Amino acid sequence: MEPKSKTTFERTLIRNTKILGLVTLAWVLSMALASFGPGLLWDAKGITALVIALNAMFGVGMMLANMRHIRAQDELQQKIQLIAMGVSLGVAVVFGLSLSLVETTHLLPIEVEVAHVVLLVGLTYMVTLIVAIRRYS
Amino acid sequence: MKNRLKVLRAERDWTQADLAAELDVSRQTINAIEKGKFDPSLPLAFKAARLFGLTIEDIFIDESGAE
């Protein structure tokens, strides 16, 4: 068998990963612009609405790029993604609601924000991904 | 599930990367299958069988029924 450089599978995966990275970067930057732009860079509500719409568009693009990225992976990689996403979703629902209960019942003087849940989901996803990859290597 | 992928690959002097390229999967997946940590899907098992010119049963050994 002749030694090969990058296979079609690898090339597709790399291309889709790059696309996902670029769209995610655009989404994050537009999110930062929409958060800090009003007041700092402009005062017009029209511009704010436009930037928020742009951010939502990049968000949809990011979801589509992520779906494409996962479809291009092989069956083990997809299984690992499924595990990581399943755990992340579970943690988001269970602990998100727990935190909400702590806040609404005034058990602790905390103020739960969506950003906290997003952070929790992100960290859970990364840790689970690393653990699952190690389990199958 | 046990399998003979490593032996069959070695007989042909193929690396895990070579086999991965032929089966359109990652090298990590070949490694996980060879170590018995991951059972391939039926389509992937058929693809491997076709590649080696064998039947699925010649490559993969189901131990679930063995006592």
Side-chain angles (χ1 to χ4, degrees), chain A residues 1-10 13 72-80 133-137, chain B residues 12 14 17-22 24-29 31-32 35 37-42 44 51:
Chain A
M1 187 175 285
E2 288 176 19
K4 293 174 181 171
S5 50
K6 291 269 184 284
T7 63
T8 311
F9 170 76
E10 288 171 325
L13 207 58
Q73 295 184 340
D74 70 27
E75 49 194 69
L76 176 59
Q77 292 169 329
Q78 286 179 350
K79 184 177 179 175
I80 289 171
I133 288 171
R134 285 177 66 94
R135 186 200 291 175
Y136 287 107
S137 62
Chain B
R12 287 155 182 81
W14 292 351
D18 292 332
L19 183 57
E22 288 298 318
D24 265 337
V25 294
S26 63
R27 193 196 59 74
Q28 287 78 9
T29 297
N31 185 49
K35 285 184 173 176
K37 291 183 174 180
F38 175 68
D39 293 335
S41 66
L42 207 49
L44 184 56
L51 179 68

Side-chain angles (χ1 to χ4, degrees), chain B residues 1-3 33 35-40 60-63:
Chain B
M1 186 161 62
K2 278 188 176 178
N3 66 77
I33 295 172
K35 285 184 173 176
K37 291 183 174 180
F38 175 68
D39 293 335
F60 299 97
I61 303 112
D62 181 24
E63 296 176 308

Side-chain angles (χ1 to χ4, degrees), chain A residues 62-125:
Chain A
M62 184 175 66
M63 286 191 288
L64 294 174
N66 197 27
M67 284 162 64
R68 197 171 167 179
H69 172 66
I70 289 171
R71 270 202 298 267
Q73 295 184 340
D74 70 27
E75 49 194 69
L76 176 59
Q77 292 169 329
Q78 286 179 350
K79 184 177 179 175
I80 289 171
Q81 288 287 340
L82 185 69
I83 293 168
M85 287 179 184
V87 172
S88 304
L89 179 65
V91 165
V93 172
V94 174
F95 290 100
L97 289 177
S98 294
L99 281 173
S100 173
L101 279 173
V102 169
E103 185 188 19
T104 52
T105 56
H106 306 292
L107 191 66
L108 290 171
I110 58 166
E111 223 173 282
V112 182
E113 288 177 27
V114 175
H116 296 147
V117 180
V118 173
L119 186 69
L120 182 68
V121 170
L123 287 173
T124 308
Y125 176 76

